[in-house]
Amino acid sequence: MSLSVSHHTRDLTSGPLLSSLLWFSLPILIGNLFQQLYNIVDTAAVSHLLGADALAALGCTGSLYSVVLCIATGMTSGFSIVVAQTFGAGQPKRLRRTVACIIVLTAVISVFLTAVSLLFSRPFLIALHTPKEILAPSLVYIRTFFAGIVFTMAYNAMAGVLRGIGNSLYPLLFLILSSVLNVGLDLLFLAVFSWGIFGAAIATVLSQLVSAAACLLYIVRCCPLLHVRRRDFRFDADLTANLLFTGLAMGLMQSTVCFGTMIMQSAVNHLGTATIAGYTAARKIHCMLLAVLFAFGNTASTFAGQNLGAGNIRRILSGIRVLVVLGLVWVVLVNLLVFFQCGALARMITGSDSPTVLSAVTRYLRMDVPFYFGISVLIILRYSLQGLGGKLAAVAEGIMEMGGNILSALVLVPRLGYLGVCLCEPITCTACAIFIVIAFTVTARRLWHAADHSLETR
């Protein structure tokens, strides 16, 4: 039996599959697109207003802050899965205890991440072979961003809890608010105040603070289901272990992928400022195009979590098939876009006429996008496994992806140059997709047999 629902929650354990999945995923999709659109606007603003060197500095920090951000968002995404499972099982008291435990864990993790990232940002940038001429602005940007990681963590934790109870609309609204504010502050701090790279960073921090405050205010005023009491903060070893294990599994999965990207960035940093700038722009477009697939992935984890809690195994498998089909349709559209408009995208984002910069963008996208078919299946099934409790397989896939990036950085790039960078993701993600399909098939069969056995024993 699920908890009662209102316009502040959505029960994914019943109702038509396609419409339920689309209505839930649509706000996540729009939110992801807004977030990636902001990243692209931020990149374009830095490139147009501050020049190629500033864009390269942004690129050199991107892989490092992505690792920290992946840990933060991965942990909170893991927390969201536990919330979804509890909500689907219809356990309001345990749901409140779960929220209380998430508050404590989020605070502790935020303090730890802030301290470690501020302390080691310079050594990491040096280890990544950041060119000396852009080391100083890179440090300014990354340290400012890390100082505000607590706001990013707070927003993602609260948004994850809301998505866990089926509310994907309001996290979208707060994300739109944050993105619009971020763009406005970018223009103010860069074009009017001339704060340089620091202005781009502080704009991100302030916008995250506003989105976290708006999310908290909404929960306090509109979501009594999530209102915790003092007694809800009593230590529960099993609950804490479950949240930590699930959160760490998701955080490790995402951070290993980002760590591999950071190693690749280290290899790219040897190829010159113009290539760094082009690669940075290409990755921004790449993330924008994948935003839809990650929306389907997040939908899959919540959908699987709620229905696992409710014991609806057959519904889980049917819903995941629907999401995979939707993902493949999107990939077809993406391939058409890149085939016909790749050059226009490169010029729009970089604002550059440099043949080296534009070539780096177009080469990367045209080699990468055809392999999105495998990446689509990989993302949706990986998130589904997390929702179904298949944490180890998802983490193993993340380690495989990291290993592929490291091997490419050490073997392909020194021999093939930028071509090795472009080949990395197609090769790595194809292998990872094969692995995750096998892992998901094994998990699905186990759950299917368990459901059949449960029906026979009733």
Side-chain angles (χ1 to χ4, degrees), residues 44-392:
V46 170
S47 178
H48 285 271
L49 297 174
L50 302 180
D53 284 352
L55 178 59
L58 197 67
C60 288
T61 63
S63 57
L64 177 56
Y65 81 68
S66 289
V67 171
V68 177
L69 193 61
C70 283
I71 295 172
T73 57
M75 290 288 291
T76 54
S77 295
F79 297 162
S80 177
I81 291 171
V82 179
V83 171
Q85 292 169 348
T86 308
F87 179 80
Q91 300 173 335
K93 292 182 179 179
R94 186 167 180 81
L95 180 61
R96 288 194 298 271
R97 291 199 302 272
T98 300
V99 173
C101 193
I102 288 172
I103 293 172
V104 174
L105 291 175
T106 300
V108 172
I109 294 167
S110 297
V111 171
F112 174 77
L113 285 178
T114 301
V116 171
S117 57
L118 286 175
L119 184 62
F120 291 103
S121 54
R122 182 183 179 88
F124 268 117
L125 284 178
I126 293 174
L128 290 173
H129 307 292
T130 302
K132 291 182 179 179
E133 63 269 22
I134 59 174
L135 179 59
S138 296
L139 276 171
V140 169
Y141 185 88
I142 199 68
R143 283 175 172 168
T144 306
F145 174 83
F146 284 154
I149 197 71
V150 61
F151 306 128
T152 303
M153 189 85 178
Y155 165 75
N156 280 284
M158 289 183 284
V161 168
L162 288 173
R163 282 192 291 267
I165 62 172
N167 186 336
S168 57
L169 175 61
Y170 282 88
L172 162 66
L173 298 179
F174 304 137
L175 187 58
I176 292 175
L177 170 65
S178 173
S179 300
V180 172
L181 178 62
N182 208 331
V183 172
L185 291 176
D186 266 340
L187 297 176
L188 177 66
F189 294 158
L190 298 183
V192 179
F193 292 169
S194 300
W195 285 0
I197 200 78
F198 170 74
I202 198 66
T204 300
V205 172
L206 291 177
S207 62
Q208 286 293 324
L209 169 61
V210 170
S211 63
C215 205
L216 176 61
L217 183 62
Y218 169 74
I219 290 174
V220 169
R221 289 191 173 183
C222 302
C223 297
L225 183 66
L226 303 177
H227 291 180
V228 295
R229 304 169 178 83
R230 182 177 298 180
R231 63 176 178 269
D232 294 320
F233 285 92
R234 287 181 297 185
F235 179 70
D236 184 325
D238 290 338
L239 176 59
T240 302
N242 188 27
L243 281 168
L244 275 176
F245 187 49
T246 305
L248 285 171
M250 183 72 88
L252 183 59
M253 178 194 74
Q254 294 191 14
S255 62
T256 51
V257 173
C258 291
F259 184 78
T261 303
M262 183 173 69
I263 299 300
M264 179 56 68
Q265 181 70 55
S266 174
V268 173
N269 288 348
H270 287 291
L271 302 178
T273 301
T275 300
I276 296 172
Y279 175 72
T280 300
R283 289 293 300 180
K284 296 290 185 180
I285 298 171
H286 166 81
C287 291
M288 180 79 171
L289 297 176
L290 289 186
V292 174
L293 301 181
F294 279 107
F296 291 150
N298 281 310
T299 298
S301 66
T302 301
F303 177 81
Q306 282 197 15
N307 282 280
L308 182 66
N312 297 334
I313 305 303
R314 297 173 188 273
R315 182 176 174 84
I316 293 173
L317 301 179
S318 298
I320 291 171
R321 280 195 294 269
V322 171
L323 288 169
V324 168
V325 171
L326 291 174
L328 294 176
V329 170
W330 170 250
V331 172
V332 172
L333 298 177
V334 166
N335 272 268
L336 292 173
L337 173 66
V338 169
F339 182 80
F340 289 107
Q341 297 295 329
C342 190
L345 286 173
R347 286 187 292 273
M348 180 181 67
I349 300 305
T350 63
S352 173
D353 294 322
S354 166
T356 303
V357 173
L358 295 177
S359 175
V361 178
T362 55
R363 285 181 71 193
Y364 187 90
L365 291 176
R366 284 177 171 158
M367 292 187 67
D368 196 44
V369 165
F371 290 86
Y372 279 14
F373 291 98
I375 292 175
S376 173
V377 175
L378 168 64
I379 291 171
I380 293 169
L381 295 190
R382 182 173 65 193
Y383 277 83
S384 300
L385 275 173
Q386 288 282 4
L388 295 174
K391 307 175 184 67
L392 294 180

Side-chain angles (χ1 to χ4, degrees), residues 10 12 15-25 322:
R10 179 176 291 274
L12 299 176
L17 271 178
L18 182 60
S19 61
S20 294
L21 291 170
L22 286 177
W23 279 113
F24 182 77
S25 63
V322 171

